[in-house]
Structures are given as structure tokens and as C-alpha cells.
Amino acid sequence: MADSSSSNNFNLFIGALSLVTAITSSVLCFRAFLPRAQMRLFIEIMDESKAMFLEADQKGLIQDESVRQDFTAKIEQLESLGTNLHDVICEAKTQFEEHVAALKGLSRDAMQLVGRARYLRSWIATHTAQEKLRRQAERGLAADQDRANISRHTDQEFTNTPPPDAMSNDFESTQTEEGRRNGFRGHNSSQDT
């Protein structure tokens, strides 16, 4: 009887613990989708996108003026939408109001804005990567010629001096002699003792 009672108590404890864990994890998961959390993510992505754009512009990777204007227009548009949404999110003063706003669709709007910011960031990254590849391809013809010259030069050096053959008897004997001098026994040392 004592075994079944302790077993029931243990089962009740495990059940309660799993229920508390499930509720806690679902609340923490839901918090990641609240509008304020999404706006923080949006601001981080926009800051990163602007930094990528400025770096690419300073390096001269954006040469076409229409592309530059398109980037700046999209950044300004997203910042304007973000500012408007941020103002609406700030109207929710308590956690309860924020949860109600999330259920009314404010989180969905914030997630869509985050998705558009991610798309802009990937667009900037793709454009700069393509420009880098184009420049490397232009310089590649000269670099290929240099690599061919180096390869020809090193091939001539190595053909004049062959590498030592590790399987030959001369290599083994020098290795064991050096090992004996240093106090190590090679695989032939057992024959000498």
C-alpha cells in the first residue's frame, strides 16, 4: 500500500511539474511574438541594413545611382512604417494591453514589417555580393595568369629535388639511428639488444 501511495504522489508531482513547465514555456514563446519584441527585432535589422548599405556605398560597391536611390527609398519607407507602428505599439501601456493588441493583429503587422526588413537586408547583401564577384571576375584574368606563373615556377623546383621516400630502407635506418641518439628506440632497436 505504501508503494502505490508514493507512486501516486510521484506521478502527481511529475504531472504538476510538466504542467507548470508547459505553461511557462508557452508564455515565454508567446512573449517573443509580442509587438514590442518584434519592434526591437525590426530596429536591429534596420540598423544592420543601414550599416551594410553605408559600408557598401563607401567601398564603392553601389555605382548605379538608380540602385542607390532605390535602396534609400526602401529604407526610408520601412523606417516610416516602423515609426507609425511603434507609435501604435507604445499606446499599449500594460502587459495585458500588449497581449490584447497582439491578439488583435498588431504582432502580425510587426512580423510582416520584420519580414520586409529582412528582405531588404538580404537584397542589400545579395547586390553587394554580386558586385564583389563581378569585380573579382574582372581582376580574375590577371590573377589567373599570376597563379599559372607561380605554379610553373614551383613545379620546376620540385621536379629538381625529389621528396624522400618514407618507405625506403635508408629513411628507416636514419630514423632509428636518430632515435637511438636521442634516447628513443625505433622498431629495429629490439634486434640490437
Side-chain angles (χ1 to χ4, degrees), residues 59-116:
K59 288 182 178 180
L61 295 174
I62 302 173
Q63 295 178 350
D64 190 8
E65 188 61 33
S66 65
V67 173
R68 184 178 292 116
Q69 289 174 354
D70 198 20
F71 280 154
T72 54
K74 286 186 185 294
I75 286 174
E76 289 171 1
Q77 178 188 17
L78 280 178
E79 283 182 336
S80 172
L81 290 171
T83 302
N84 294 340
L85 189 61
H86 187 265
D87 293 341
V88 173
I89 289 172
C90 287
E91 290 176 6
K93 305 232 184 310
T94 65
Q95 282 291 106
F96 180 73
E97 290 175 352
E98 187 176 6
H99 283 78
V100 169
L103 293 174
K104 287 184 178 178
L106 198 56
S107 285
R108 183 194 65 230
D109 295 343
M111 284 192 274
Q112 288 175 349
L113 196 60
V114 167
R116 291 175 72 180

Side-chain angles (χ1 to χ4, degrees), residues 5-171:
S5 175
S6 63
S7 177
N8 285 340
N9 289 338
F10 181 72
N11 287 338
L12 285 173
F13 174 73
I14 294 298
L17 183 65
S18 63
L19 182 65
V20 167
T21 304
I23 290 171
T24 305
S25 63
S26 63
V27 165
L28 291 175
C29 181
F30 185 68
R31 286 185 72 193
F33 295 104
L34 288 176
R36 288 181 208 264
Q38 291 296 313
M39 281 308 296
R40 281 192 294 270
L41 183 61
F42 170 75
I43 290 168
E44 289 174 15
I45 292 172
M46 286 303 293
D47 289 343
E48 185 180 345
S49 300
K50 287 188 276 187
M52 287 172 61
F53 174 71
L54 289 174
E55 180 183 351
D57 197 27
Q58 289 173 351
K59 288 182 178 180
L61 295 174
I62 302 173
Q63 295 178 350
D64 190 8
E65 188 61 33
S66 65
V67 173
R68 184 178 292 116
Q69 289 174 354
D70 198 20
F71 280 154
T72 54
K74 286 186 185 294
I75 286 174
E76 289 171 1
Q77 178 188 17
L78 280 178
E79 283 182 336
S80 172
L81 290 171
T83 302
N84 294 340
L85 189 61
H86 187 265
D87 293 341
V88 173
I89 289 172
C90 287
E91 290 176 6
K93 305 232 184 310
T94 65
Q95 282 291 106
F96 180 73
E97 290 175 352
E98 187 176 6
H99 283 78
V100 169
L103 293 174
K104 287 184 178 178
L106 198 56
S107 285
R108 183 194 65 230
D109 295 343
M111 284 192 274
Q112 288 175 349
L113 196 60
V114 167
R116 291 175 72 180
R118 284 183 176 152
Y119 179 76
L120 177 67
R121 181 180 59 185
S122 69
W123 192 49
I124 293 170
T126 301
H127 181 76
T128 55
Q130 288 173 346
E131 183 64 25
K132 285 179 184 177
L133 287 174
R134 187 187 65 75
R135 288 182 179 188
Q136 286 176 351
E138 287 175 354
R139 286 184 260 153
L141 297 175
D144 287 341
Q145 185 63 31
D146 290 342
R147 275 188 235 117
N149 290 338
I150 291 171
S151 175
R152 236 187 336 269
H153 180 67
T154 54
D155 286 344
Q156 290 172 356
E157 284 180 12
F158 286 121
T159 54
N160 294 339
T161 58
D165 187 11
M167 301 306 286
S168 71
N169 290 335
D170 294 336
F171 183 76

